[in-house]
Amino acid sequence: DVADDVNHWAAMPFTKDDNKGGHLLEESSFAVLFPQYREKPIREAWPHVTRALKEVQLACKLDLIEGSMTVSTTRKTWDPYIIIKARDLIKLLARSVPFTQAVRILEDEMQCDIIKIGGMVRNKERFIKRRDRLLGPNGSTLKAIELLTQCYVLVHGNTVACMGSFRGIKQVRRIVEDCMKNYHPIYHIKTLMIRRELEKDPELQQENWERFLPQFKKQNAKKKKAQPGDGAQQTGRPVGGVQDGVEGAGTMAAEGPKEKKKKKDYTPFPPAQQLRKVDAQMESGEYFLSNAEKLERKRVARSQKQQEVVKERKREREQRFKPPPRSSKEQDADARQDSLKDMGARLKAKDKATKKAAPAAGRAETQGAGRASGGGGGVDDYL
């Protein structure tokens, strides 16, 4: 009977003593092409690649003319699987993985996977947006994926290279493929965080975790039909998948009732036949013009059109310097300010009139008092 605690995914160590023959019967080799922009980094790192493969009894060759890297076994190679590891090494180097990280693939516990995402989305702009979701702002989403899956992940061009354990690589592939299918990586990150906390509880190891995990499903919201008598304007909202609203790919609900098209009056007569191009030219007289006259007419029409465009652009530039229309609040404030100014002017005018009237009244009173004092002389004063 097989014990339940056996880890079937564990990498069994293979030593030189396990190979009784001491060497391999046939020579195996793999070649990988690399793009031209990777030529300089690969040429600089090739001495380190040669040294690392020499330790595991493998030979390598770099062809800069053809743009290929080749690894092959030698007479001293005793590990039959190390050639597969070396093939993965040159694959990772061709996909812009640094040598310090790619050389770890030679370890028994390390595996790799190169996920091709180029053909998953047809629209180029949509593909770039979904690929950027894997990175996140300042690479935060990619860092969270690496911490939760214990894998190294590199998003480059149309591929995603990852290195880690079998379990982590499987999780990374699911996240990447769902991201390209318009399923945001944050949902998988939440699920992985909950799973990591549940693994710490020994009582829940034999139970089903579905009741603890969040269920993120795409829901297609139904469109609300606009009634013909309803005059209220409906607000449009995105209808579609989880991320359709983010990309603008979702359809918007109808805003307000649609206007019915008026039916045209029925006439049994067919529409008038359209003139041919030659007939139209004969009516306008253009058909009888010479080539030079036709070119001159085209030049004049082109210059007129250019002048109209220049005037329109000048009008648009002048429109920028015009002040924006004043709001009702600003107009009310200006009206109140004007009324206060008018009131102040009236008060000042009234104050000046009062000050001018005061000395005139004083002089009139003085003259009246003099006449009153001289009236006691009698009739002789008048003679």
Side-chain angles (χ1 to χ4, degrees):
D1 296 337
V2 180
D4 295 337
D5 57 349
V6 174
N7 186 6
H8 299 283
W9 288 103
M12 301 300 294
F14 187 85
T15 61
K16 193 173 184 179
D17 298 334
D18 296 332
N19 190 350
K20 302 299 183 182
H23 59 86
L24 303 179
L25 296 178
E26 297 290 341
E27 178 184 348
S28 301
S29 63
F30 291 98
V32 174
L33 299 175
F34 59 87
Q36 187 176 3
Y37 65 87
R38 287 291 299 163
E39 179 179 338
K40 183 178 178 182
I42 290 175
R43 189 172 65 247
E44 293 175 352
W46 196 249
H48 304 286
V49 176
T50 306
R51 193 179 305 112
L53 295 179
K54 189 176 182 180
E55 295 178 358
V56 291
Q57 310 300 329
L58 290 178
C60 59
K61 178 184 177 183
L62 176 63
D63 190 349
L64 296 177
I65 298 176
E66 186 182 358
S68 64
M69 295 177 286
T70 308
V71 291
S72 58
T73 57
T74 61
R75 291 178 176 271
K76 298 181 180 180
T77 306
W78 50 268
D79 189 353
Y81 193 71
I82 196 63
I83 186 64
I84 305 297
K85 292 281 189 177
R87 180 203 62 183
D88 295 340
L89 171 62
I90 58 177
K91 274 188 178 181
L92 294 172
L93 290 175
R95 295 316 305 157
S96 300
V97 178
F99 169 76
T100 55
Q101 180 66 33
V103 75
R104 296 183 56 197
I105 197 64
L106 298 177
E107 302 174 4
D108 291 340
E109 296 81 9
M110 190 66 63
Q111 311 297 328
C112 76
D113 189 11
I114 297 177
I115 308 166
K116 297 180 181 180
I117 60 175
M120 293 185 178
V121 183
R122 291 184 179 180
N123 192 320
K124 186 177 180 181
E125 295 180 359
R126 189 173 299 172
F127 167 74
I128 294 173
K129 287 183 179 179
R130 295 184 183 181
R131 186 183 62 181
D132 290 344
R133 287 185 200 155
L134 289 172
L135 302 175
N138 299 325
S140 58
T141 304
L142 187 66
K143 188 65 176 178
I145 294 173
E146 289 180 345
L147 291 175
L148 291 172
T149 59
Q150 298 297 321
C151 292
Y152 171 82
V153 184
L154 176 67
V155 181
H156 180 76
N158 294 332
T159 58
V160 178
C162 57
M163 297 175 57
S165 60
F166 283 110
R167 181 182 179 186
I169 288 175
K170 187 178 179 181
Q171 293 172 346
V172 172
R173 175 172 278 274
R174 186 185 302 115
I175 293 172
V176 172
E177 289 179 351
D178 286 348
C179 182
M180 291 295 109
K181 295 176 183 176
N182 201 22
Y183 196 88
H184 205 282
I186 193 64
Y187 303 134
H188 286 290
I189 291 174
K190 290 181 180 180
T191 304
L192 291 175
M193 292 175 66
I194 295 173
R195 283 182 178 275
R196 189 172 63 174
E197 295 298 326
L198 292 174
E199 288 174 357
K200 298 178 182 179
D201 193 351
E203 298 179 358
L204 299 175
Q205 290 184 357
Q206 303 299 329
E207 296 185 12
N208 189 5
W209 292 352
E210 292 296 331
R211 54 194 176 99
F212 300 106
L213 301 178
Q215 300 295 330
F216 300 105
K217 295 182 179 179
K218 292 185 180 181
Q219 297 179 355
N220 294 329
K222 295 182 179 179
K223 296 181 181 179
K224 185 178 180 181
K225 295 183 179 179
Q227 298 180 0
D230 189 7
Q233 187 177 6
Q234 300 176 358
T235 58
R237 61 187 180 85
V239 179
V242 178
Q243 291 299 318
D244 286 343
V246 178
E247 295 183 5
T251 57
M252 302 297 290
E255 295 187 1
K258 294 183 178 179
E259 297 181 358
K260 293 184 178 180
K261 295 182 179 179
K262 295 182 180 180
K263 293 184 178 180
K264 297 181 180 179
D265 297 334
Y266 173 73
T267 56
F269 304 103
Q273 186 176 2
Q274 297 292 334
L275 292 176
R276 296 182 304 163
K277 185 177 180 180
V278 177
D279 295 338
Q281 289 179 354
M282 292 179 69
E283 284 189 359
S284 62
E286 184 181 356
Y287 182 78
F288 305 101
L289 297 177
S290 62
N291 293 333
E293 292 174 342
K294 290 181 181 179
L295 292 176
E296 180 65 20
R297 179 174 290 188
K298 287 183 180 180
R299 187 188 63 80
V300 172
R302 192 184 306 114
S303 62
Q304 291 178 355
K305 187 175 180 181
Q306 289 177 354
Q307 291 177 2
E308 292 177 0
V309 172
V310 170
K311 290 180 181 179
E312 183 65 24
R313 290 181 179 176
K314 185 178 180 181
R315 195 180 302 111
E316 291 178 357
R317 287 195 298 268
E318 293 176 353
Q319 192 70 21
R320 300 175 188 171
F321 299 101
K322 291 184 179 180
R326 301 175 65 83
S327 62
S328 58
K329 292 184 179 180
E330 294 177 351
Q331 294 177 0
D332 295 343
D334 292 344
R336 287 195 297 271
Q337 189 70 18
D338 294 340
S339 61
L340 291 175
K341 288 180 180 180
D342 295 342
M343 187 182 296
R346 289 196 300 270
L347 291 175
K348 286 182 180 180
K350 188 176 182 181
D351 189 17
K352 288 181 180 180
T354 305
K355 288 181 180 180
K356 289 180 180 179
R363 287 195 300 270
E365 290 177 0
T366 306
Q367 293 175 2
R371 286 195 297 271
S373 58
V379 181
D380 296 335
D381 293 333
Y382 291 99
L383 296 176

